[in-house]
Amino acid sequence: MDCVCIEAHTFLQIPSLSVDLALQQPRSIGKSRWAMAGQEHRCRRIVLFPLPFQGHISPMLQLAELLHARGLAVTVLHTGFNAPDATRHPELTFVPIHESSFPDEVTSLGTDIVTQLLALNAACEAPFREALASLLRGGQDVACAVVDGQCYSALRAAHRLGVPALVLRTDSAATFSSMLAYPRLRDAGFVPVKEERLDEPVPDLERLRARDLIRVDGSDTDALCGFIARVADAVRASASGVVINTFERMEASELAKIQRELSRPAFAVGPLHLLSQAPAEQSLHAPDRGCLAWLDDHPPRSVLYVSLGSVACVDRGAFVEMAWGLARSGVSFLWVVRPGLVGGVPEVPPLPDGFSEEVRNRGKIVSWAPQREVLAHAATAAFWTHCGWNSTLESVCEGVPMLVQPCFADQMVNARYVTHEWGVGLEVGEEIERGRVAMAVTKLMTGEDAAQMRGRAYHLKILASAATSLPIDSLIHYISSL
């Protein structure tokens, strides 16, 4: 079967009414009552600890702004490595945890992500515990800690200090649900997945095939399984609840499954970038804003935006095939070719010989783009993405269909939901070959199913726009009850 085709599938029928989640009442609170509640919470402090990577820092600071807007004092503990820019958030308090120098496994470009996360957890546990203990000794009324969902060591440390702790999942509810299932799948012999079982449905995760489970090609399988087990075990043993950057009407069944699995509340507080007034966090790359003027010169829904995010990389061969596939497609495109996009090449990779002449004025190459503005632009028709959750959610919120090329980790789960659950995208295929790329791009942009995908994407956009901050209000009430 052609790898770019969608299987016959009945796509998710988004319910017109959201599913009530336990412990997320009340649903509406009068303005005057919230003024009183703000005074009541004014002296209480929430301590946040993000994972020090761009896709994790931004959602955490967006959540911080929402909590602060409701009268809570917010302290952000952070590492010196990839430290957030405190000047962009003057209303928040930033305190470094004073970790000793991170080992090379944490900071080196191209380090295996599983090795990186294990080393980071080991390096952060003691300095995080001491920083939090120092706040407590200083008489701070710490109501709760919110730690990144990958920071299992910080979650354990907060629990041992007697501080109620929640985890912020910066991935989807579907991804987190699959992580909770991972240890029992391993016990049942389903993972590590054997080649002949790749297309089997996953027990208790019927929307996923085995090939859609979290994986990191090239990583040690036992190390990956061990990391996921530590995350799941820490949540079960030490978390008072889960906060997820998603919205209920898109992932209601996955949220309900998480609550049943943990017997703890799961708060769908997203889309955080829409609900929060926080400025976009300083990017590791300076965006080329000239691309917006370039988009201005194109008709509505005529440009394909291509970006594989800030971390994912491909080999040189796949990069060349992506380029010539775009050239063959005949569509206009805006392509982010950033430093490190090709594995082992820390600088911006060179384009194939003759490519620029072939595409002429039809394509624009930038080293980084202001992504939210690009996705919101009238000229943008579709998004070729690695399916990181922030990118996926931003595309959903703008009603932009997707061409998915997942590279590792949660991107596999997200890609499956984009293409087969929500029906707002196509797969580029596991083998990146120029003819298949051109076919997939053409099908997404102008194929017979393109209008239906745009319609489903627009419906999700409407649902995302209707998401409210009521889960944040319920979260604050829940924290007050701990």
Side-chain angles (χ1 to χ4, degrees), residues 440-456:
V441 168
T442 302
K443 189 171 185 177
L444 181 66
M445 297 286 284
T446 60
E448 61 184 34
D449 294 330
Q452 289 89 337
M453 275 188 287
R454 283 197 299 271
R456 288 189 288 265

Side-chain angles (χ1 to χ4, degrees), residues 258-298:
I258 290 168
Q259 289 202 146
R260 289 194 301 270
E261 177 101 9
L262 296 176
S263 299
R264 293 170 178 82
F267 297 93
V269 298
L272 284 171
H273 74 279
L274 288 188
L275 296 172
S276 170
Q277 299 302 310
E281 186 57 28
Q282 186 88 29
S283 173
L284 299 177
H285 309 286
D288 180 346
R289 300 189 63 81
C291 66
L292 298 175
W294 183 83
L295 287 171
D296 289 341
D297 292 334
H298 288 76

Side-chain angles (χ1 to χ4, degrees), residues 289-303 305 334 370-382 398-400 461:
R289 300 189 63 81
C291 66
L292 298 175
W294 183 83
L295 287 171
D296 289 341
D297 292 334
H298 288 76
R301 292 204 303 266
S302 64
V303 175
Y305 171 53
L334 169 62
Q371 180 162 292
R372 291 188 208 165
E373 293 171 80
V374 169
L375 290 172
H377 199 284
T380 301
E398 297 301 338
V400 176
K461 175 183 178 178

Side-chain angles (χ1 to χ4, degrees), residues 228-286:
I228 293 174
R230 291 184 192 190
V231 169
D233 290 347
V235 171
R236 289 190 170 93
S238 303
S240 297
V242 182
V243 182
I244 307 175
N245 185 20
T246 189
F247 57 101
E248 190 178 322
R249 292 178 69 183
M250 187 168 71
E251 293 197 278
S253 61
E254 288 75 16
L255 289 159
K257 182 179 290 187
I258 290 168
Q259 289 202 146
R260 289 194 301 270
E261 177 101 9
L262 296 176
S263 299
R264 293 170 178 82
F267 297 93
V269 298
L272 284 171
H273 74 279
L274 288 188
L275 296 172
S276 170
Q277 299 302 310
E281 186 57 28
Q282 186 88 29
S283 173
L284 299 177
H285 309 286

Side-chain angles (χ1 to χ4, degrees), residues 96-112:
I97 65 171
H98 297 301
E99 78 279 4
S100 56
S101 296
F102 277 145
D104 290 343
E105 288 88 345
V106 173
T107 59
S108 294
L109 183 67
T111 299
D112 169 73

